Amino acid sequence: TVDNLRRPSATSLTSAMMHLSLLIACPALLLTPSASVLRASPVMQLRDQQPAVPVQPREVQQVVPVGTQNFNRAPVGTQNFNSQQNYQSYQSGRTSTTTGTRTRSLADISRAKQLEDPSILVQGGSLRTWSYRNPLVDEVNVELSTEGRPLDADIELWHGPDNTPVKMRVYVENGEMRPFSCVIETPRGPNTIALRNIGQLEFPFAANVFHDRIDQPSNECLNSATTIQGGALRTYPFESVVETVQVMLKTDGRPLNARIELLQGPNNNKQVIELYTEDGLHRPFFCILKTPGSGNVVRVVNTAPVEFPMTASVVPDLINPDMSSGAVLGGDVVIGGDIGW
């Protein structure tokens, strides 16, 4: 009847309630297409009789960890390296300089410069020391130079606590034209050489102390020593052909106090050395002075009392016969200089 059609049966109500509970529990069923939709849309599901389209394999790129370099693939605009060794060679070549067919890095160049010139720059007001603990080192050579500026330094030999057997004060007007070089005796080690730049900050100098290649006096220097009494002085003029001069001072075991001056013209000191040695026999003084130009005179003064005489030897070391002894236009004027010494 009509009432039976309008009234839902218990079975239909039960089925509707089950479907409603499934939809509430699984909302994804709403997105599941029905059979009619699947038949109307063949793109969403392949038929059994149609062959499947083969899937093209994707290119798998090698993943490189962070912080490492991929040497098989080079960045855009760079070279392609086949191995890590080639890449390292390329990196080292970027910070190198090429001389002819040989490539040297910057570290090799700086190391070569240190081997060629091991001098240490001493700024104004600073102190540098060189210690020798080996008792076999009996003497050392000290070299001081500048780039053309004046040189003012204190040189001391430390032997034990509060014991300074050798002291000297060195002044040079031009440390490039007339570098200072002397030999300090260091018997009964250990010993320490202390160099102090007492000049201003604008006047640094290069210092080098070494125990090999020591300057040795010639036989003429050893055999031409003359005695200078305490308070006396002696002068030694040289011609322009003499480029360097050997100076050696010693005593019979007494203290040695002397002043060595290199003059070029009247009262024009180019180089001054004030020296003290507690034992002039075991610690004699020897140096080589450069005497460029004409009218050079070496003056040696014994500043000790009359009870402390010393022996001095001042002879030419290097002679350049090509140098002319005549007058030079614009050169230094010498009054009372000896010609043909």
Side-chain angles (χ1 to χ4, degrees):
T1 63
V2 178
D3 295 336
N4 293 333
L5 294 175
R6 291 180 180 178
R7 294 178 183 177
S9 63
T11 305
S12 61
L13 288 176
T14 304
S15 177
M17 293 297 295
M18 292 178 60
H19 283 286
L20 182 60
S21 61
L22 289 175
L23 291 177
I24 294 175
C26 300
L29 294 176
L30 294 173
L31 302 178
T32 304
S34 61
S36 60
V37 174
L38 292 177
R39 288 193 297 269
S41 301
V43 179
M44 300 181 60
Q45 184 179 7
L46 296 176
R47 297 181 181 273
D48 297 336
Q49 62 272 14
Q50 294 181 356
V53 179
V55 179
Q56 297 293 335
R58 298 178 60 184
E59 182 181 358
V60 180
Q61 297 182 358
Q62 183 179 1
V63 179
V64 181
V66 179
T68 60
Q69 297 287 343
N70 187 2
F71 302 103
N72 296 326
R73 299 184 61 184
V76 178
T78 59
Q79 300 181 6
N80 188 11
F81 306 100
N82 296 326
S83 63
Q84 184 175 1
Q85 183 178 3
N86 296 338
Y87 181 78
Q88 293 177 354
S89 301
Y90 169 74
Q91 290 292 345
S92 61
R94 292 177 60 184
T95 59
S96 63
T97 57
T98 305
T99 305
T101 59
R102 182 181 179 184
T103 303
R104 298 186 302 172
S105 61
L106 297 179
D108 295 338
I109 294 176
S110 61
R111 192 180 301 108
K113 289 183 178 180
Q114 292 179 359
L115 294 177
E116 294 175 1
D117 187 12
S119 301
I120 298 177
L121 188 65
V122 182
Q123 300 291 341
S126 60
L127 172 68
R128 289 298 181 94
T129 59
W130 284 259
S131 298
Y132 295 91
R133 300 183 180 275
N134 191 351
L136 299 179
V137 179
D138 293 335
E139 54 186 2
V140 295
N141 212 114
V142 179
E143 292 183 353
L144 306 179
S145 63
T146 66
E147 295 180 352
R149 301 184 181 186
L151 188 153
D152 200 356
D154 274 342
I155 304 176
E156 295 181 353
L157 172 63
W158 297 345
H159 185 209
D162 298 332
N163 182 22
T164 309
V166 178
K167 295 181 182 180
M168 67 182 73
R169 168 81 177 271
V170 179
Y171 168 78
V172 182
E173 184 185 62
N174 189 337
E176 182 180 13
M177 185 179 298
R178 299 177 180 87
F180 175 76
S181 177
C182 73
V183 178
I184 299 179
E185 300 292 335
T186 58
R188 301 179 298 275
N191 295 274
T192 299
I193 303 296
L195 301 181
R196 185 185 300 275
N197 188 347
I198 58 178
Q200 299 179 1
L201 186 63
E202 296 81 7
F203 303 102
F205 63 77
N208 187 19
V209 180
F210 50 91
H211 64 279
D212 52 352
R213 300 178 288 107
I214 303 297
D215 297 332
Q216 298 295 337
S218 60
N219 294 329
E220 181 184 2
C221 182
L222 296 174
N223 299 328
S224 61
T226 57
T227 302
I228 301 179
Q229 299 294 335
L233 64 88
R234 188 178 293 271
T235 59
Y236 303 86
F238 295 94
E239 294 184 356
S240 59
V241 295
V242 179
E243 293 187 352
T244 58
V245 174
Q246 297 183 11
V247 179
M248 186 173 185
L249 306 179
K250 62 188 304 184
T251 64
D252 56 356
R254 304 180 188 184
L256 172 63
N257 288 272
R259 178 184 175 93
I260 305 171
E261 301 177 357
L262 175 60
L263 304 163
Q264 195 174 29
N267 298 325
N268 187 10
N269 291 330
K270 299 296 183 180
Q271 188 168 347
V272 180
I273 305 171
E274 295 180 355
L275 172 67
Y276 164 76
T277 301
E278 69 174 7
D279 188 349
L281 180 63
H282 295 93
R283 302 180 189 274
F285 175 76
F286 175 74
C287 70
I288 296 180
L289 304 179
K290 283 196 174 183
T291 57
S294 59
N296 292 286
V297 178
V298 176
R299 180 166 61 186
V300 181
V301 183
N302 189 349
T303 57
V306 69
E307 295 86 6
F308 301 95
M310 69 176 184
T311 59
S313 179
V314 183
V315 297
D317 178 46
L318 182 60
I319 298 177
N320 187 5
D322 297 335
M323 295 294 296
S324 174
S325 59
V328 179
L329 183 62
D332 297 326
V333 179
V334 180
I335 299 178
D338 297 333
I339 300 178
W341 181 83

